Amino acid sequence: MVSKTEETQLSNLETQVDNGGGGAWEYLSLVRKLKVRRSDRVLKHGLSILNDPKKRSSLGPDEWTLYEQVAVAAMDCQSLDVAKDCIKVLQKKFPESKRVGRLEGMLLEAKGAWAEAEKAYSSLLEDNPLDQVIHKRRVAMSKAQGNVSVAIEWLNKYLEIFMADHDAWRELAEIYVSLQMYKQAAFCYEELILSQPMVPLFHLAYADKTKKPLLGNLFSTVLKLLTCYDSNLSTKWRTSYANEL
């Protein structure tokens, strides 16, 4: 999660770079660090560096990091020729790289070549079954094609390996809710509450998604979980829930 201070720093740098005040590399580095999406600006300012031999060479080894960052941003912006050019540069520099292989798969996705992308991802997973990025790409690809049942299958398989991935549990819960599969969604939120009991958002999401078709003793279960860790939080959650009814 991005802090208020980091948000302000990013916004200030963004304004500075957009107005020609310099600091493009610092801005791009901060975007990577905070893991935020600013694809249009990354594409614009990243290319301004890559297309300038002097600026590009001054980056040293970070040049390749920037090529990767710009490739991903270009795919987000559907500038597929730019993405292809960046990936070609990386392929030449790192011919056996699995990381570059992921970019190749993502480019196939961006082109809508789903079968080819799946083939590429399957091959990469054979070499490294614990590649989280590839597992998540498969989920995203299934959702992009509207194959929700396949996305659920991939997410469940992913969570069998990476049970501590809170974002994946939340994503799976939201898919279940969209399908009105409230019991399955409740299970996902219970997993989140058990792993991070002091995060109020998980409790509120649990309440919001399960209160209308409330199943059995789920309401009392979450209150018991909260009470175990913080009785005040339990009281606040109960009040919040009542106010929403």
Side-chain angles (χ1 to χ4, degrees):
M1 184 178 292
V2 180
S3 69
K4 201 70 176 176
T5 301
E6 290 169 331
E7 272 186 28
T8 301
Q9 184 183 4
L10 181 64
S11 178
N12 290 340
L13 258 179
E14 204 166 78
T15 300
Q16 175 183 311
V17 177
D18 286 347
N19 292 329
W25 173 246
E26 289 75 13
Y27 171 72
L28 294 166
S29 298
L30 186 59
V31 167
R32 283 198 311 277
K33 177 186 174 183
L34 300 181
K35 297 181 180 179
V36 294
R37 277 285 172 84
R38 296 289 192 279
S39 299
D40 54 342
R41 287 185 169 91
V42 168
L43 181 59
K44 177 183 177 182
H45 301 308
L47 284 177
S48 73
I49 294 174
L50 293 178
N51 291 333
D52 185 321
K54 186 176 180 180
K55 290 180 180 179
R56 188 175 68 241
S57 62
S58 70
L59 297 178
D62 285 331
E63 173 185 347
W64 315 114
T65 301
L66 182 56
Y67 270 112
E68 180 183 35
Q69 186 177 12
V70 171
V72 174
M75 285 185 268
D76 284 347
C77 297
Q78 283 298 299
S79 298
L80 302 187
D81 288 339
V82 174
K84 184 178 178 181
D85 290 342
C86 289
I87 293 171
K88 278 185 177 179
V89 172
L90 291 169
Q91 286 170 330
K92 185 176 180 180
K93 178 66 178 178
F94 309 102
E96 302 298 325
S97 170
K98 304 301 179 185
R99 187 161 177 162
V100 177
R102 290 201 298 257
L103 290 175
E104 294 170 0
M106 291 170 65
L107 183 58
L108 290 169
E109 274 190 71
K111 292 178 178 178
W114 308 116
E116 292 178 57
E118 172 58 31
K119 185 177 179 180
Y121 290 150
S122 296
S123 177
L124 289 167
L125 284 175
E126 284 179 10
D127 293 333
N128 181 13
L130 299 181
D131 190 322
Q132 287 183 270
V133 175
I134 297 300
H135 282 288
K136 289 185 175 184
R137 289 313 316 162
R138 288 176 120 180
V139 173
M141 188 166 65
S142 298
K143 290 171 71 176
Q145 295 176 83
N147 295 333
V148 180
S149 60
V150 175
I152 289 174
E153 181 183 350
W154 288 131
L155 266 173
N156 276 304
K157 287 182 178 180
Y158 171 81
L159 285 166
E160 287 176 6
I161 306 171
F162 305 103
M163 292 180 287
D165 190 326
H166 304 128
D167 289 336
W169 280 114
R170 291 180 71 177
E171 183 177 4
L172 183 57
E174 291 301 324
I175 292 176
Y176 281 138
V177 168
S178 72
L179 299 174
Q180 298 184 3
M181 299 171 69
Y182 299 111
K183 184 175 181 179
Q184 290 85 346
F187 175 80
C188 295
Y189 284 119
E190 286 170 355
E191 287 292 322
L192 287 166
I193 290 169
L194 286 169
S195 63
Q196 288 193 306
M198 301 308 294
V199 178
L201 286 176
F202 293 158
H203 299 283
L204 293 173
Y206 183 98
D208 183 55
K209 303 305 181 186
T210 61
K211 63 185 180 184
K212 293 179 181 177
L214 202 58
L215 302 167
N217 64 349
L218 292 181
F219 180 76
S220 59
T221 298
V222 72
L223 286 178
K224 288 177 183 177
L225 286 169
L226 279 165
T227 303
C228 288
Y229 291 95
D230 188 333
S231 58
N232 290 328
L233 187 58
S234 173
T235 301
K236 290 178 182 178
W237 187 86
R238 185 189 287 107
T239 302
S240 175
Y241 178 90
N243 290 338
E244 290 291 330
L245 294 177

